[in-house]
Amino acid sequence: EAGVAQSPRYKIIEKRQSVAFWCNPISGHATLYWYQQILGQGPKLLIQFQNNGVVDDSQLPKDRFSAERLKGVDSTLKIQPAKLEDSAVYLCASSRTGATNEKLFFGSGTQLSVL
Amino acid sequence: KQEVTQIPAALSVPEGENLVLNCSFTDSAIYNLQWFRQDPGKGLTSLLLIQSSQREQTSGRLNASLDKSSGRSTLYIAASQPGDSATYLCAVAPFPNSGAGSYQLTFGKGTKLSVIP
C-alpha cells in the first residue's frame, strides 16, 4: 500500500513570497489533515478535510494560508505572503474515515525555510 | 486548553537497556492517547493507540500505559536497540464533537531517544 505522498521535500523562499505544497493521501482515505511542525515542537493541526469539505480550520491563519481538496483526493496548501515565522515542516496525514479512534498515516513532510 | 508535556526532552541509553518515556496531560477528559515515532526528516508513524477505557497496549517490545485520572501515560521500550533511536511523541484526542467530526490531536514536544551501540 502506497503511503502519503508530499512534494516538494524542501522549499526555501524569501519573506512575502508565496509557496504551495501538495499532498496525495493513501488511496481510499476520506480524511486529510495538514499539520505545521515548528522545530522543537509537536505538530499543530491547521486544517482537516472530510472528502472535499472542511471539517476544522480553526487554527489556520486564514489571512495568509489557504487549502483546498477539490476532488476529495489530493490537496494543496498555500501560503501567501510568507512570514519568517512560517518556517516549519508541513505534514500531511490521512485516515480512512476520520473516526477519532483511527490511526493517522503521515507523509514525510515539506520543510519550508523563509528567509 | 489541553497541554501535553513530555519528560525528558532527550534521553541517551546504552543498547539493551529497558527504558520509560513519560507523557502528562492537563485535561483528563480524553478520548484516546497515541504514541508516535518520528525519524529525522520523516513524518510520524503511529506506534500505539490507547482508548480512554483501556489501561495499556502492547506491540512487540513496546508497552504503553494510560492513567487517565492522573493525566499520565508511559511508553516502555524493552531491550532497546540502536534502531529505536528517534523522537517519540505522545498525542491526546478530545471526545468527538457531536456532528463536527474534528479530530484535533494535541501533541507533546517529544522525547529524543538515542540508543548507543
Side-chain angles (χ1 to χ4, degrees), chain A residues 13-19 64-65 79-86 112 114-115:
Chain A
I13 62 173
E14 295 186 349
K15 61 183 179 183
R16 291 189 288 274
Q17 286 186 324
S18 63
V19 64
R64 298 183 301 106
F65 286 64
I79 307 175
Q80 182 179 13
K83 292 185 175 181
L84 296 176
E85 59 261 35
D86 298 332
L112 174 67
V114 182
L115 306 178

Side-chain angles (χ1 to χ4, degrees), chain B residues 31-93:
Chain B
Y31 191 68
N32 63 44
L33 182 146
Q34 290 190 62
W35 283 93
F36 292 86
R37 169 185 173 139
Q38 186 171 30
D39 293 282
K42 300 285 183 65
L44 282 69
T45 301
S46 180
L47 298 173
L48 291 164
L49 185 154
I50 311 176
Q51 300 290 356
S52 62
S53 58
Q54 298 174 319
R55 298 282 294 183
E56 63 180 283
Q57 280 284 336
T58 298
S59 176
R61 294 182 294 108
L62 306 180
N63 176 276
S65 68
L66 174 64
D67 184 344
K68 205 172 67 163
S69 60
S70 68
R72 295 173 189 258
S73 175
T74 61
L75 178 67
Y76 174 83
I77 302 177
S80 58
Q81 304 170 357
D84 295 330
S85 298
T87 297
Y88 291 81
L89 298 102
C90 75
V92 298

Side-chain angles (χ1 to χ4, degrees), chain A residues 9 33 35 37 40-45 48 55-56 58-59 91 95 98-109, chain B residues 31-32 34 36 38 41-49 51 89 93-94 96 100-105 107-109:
Chain A
R9 287 285 284 122
Y33 313 80
Y35 281 84
Q37 186 175 24
Q41 306 285 322
K44 181 184 80 171
L45 179 68
Q48 176 185 343
V55 173
D56 186 346
S58 58
Q59 298 196 95
L91 296 164
S95 64
T100 313
N101 61 351
E102 283 186 337
K103 288 187 177 181
L104 270 63
F105 295 85
F106 282 81
S108 297
Chain B
Y31 191 68
N32 63 44
Q34 290 190 62
F36 292 86
Q38 186 171 30
K42 300 285 183 65
L44 282 69
T45 301
S46 180
L47 298 173
L48 291 164
L49 185 154
Q51 300 290 356
L89 298 102
S102 175
Y103 186 6
Q104 187 159 145
L105 294 173
F107 283 84
K109 294 181 180 181

Side-chain angles (χ1 to χ4, degrees), chain B residues 11-23:
Chain B
L11 180 65
S12 184
V13 300
E15 180 178 3
E17 268 202 9
N18 303 325
L19 60 101
V20 174
L21 307 180
N22 297 294
C23 172

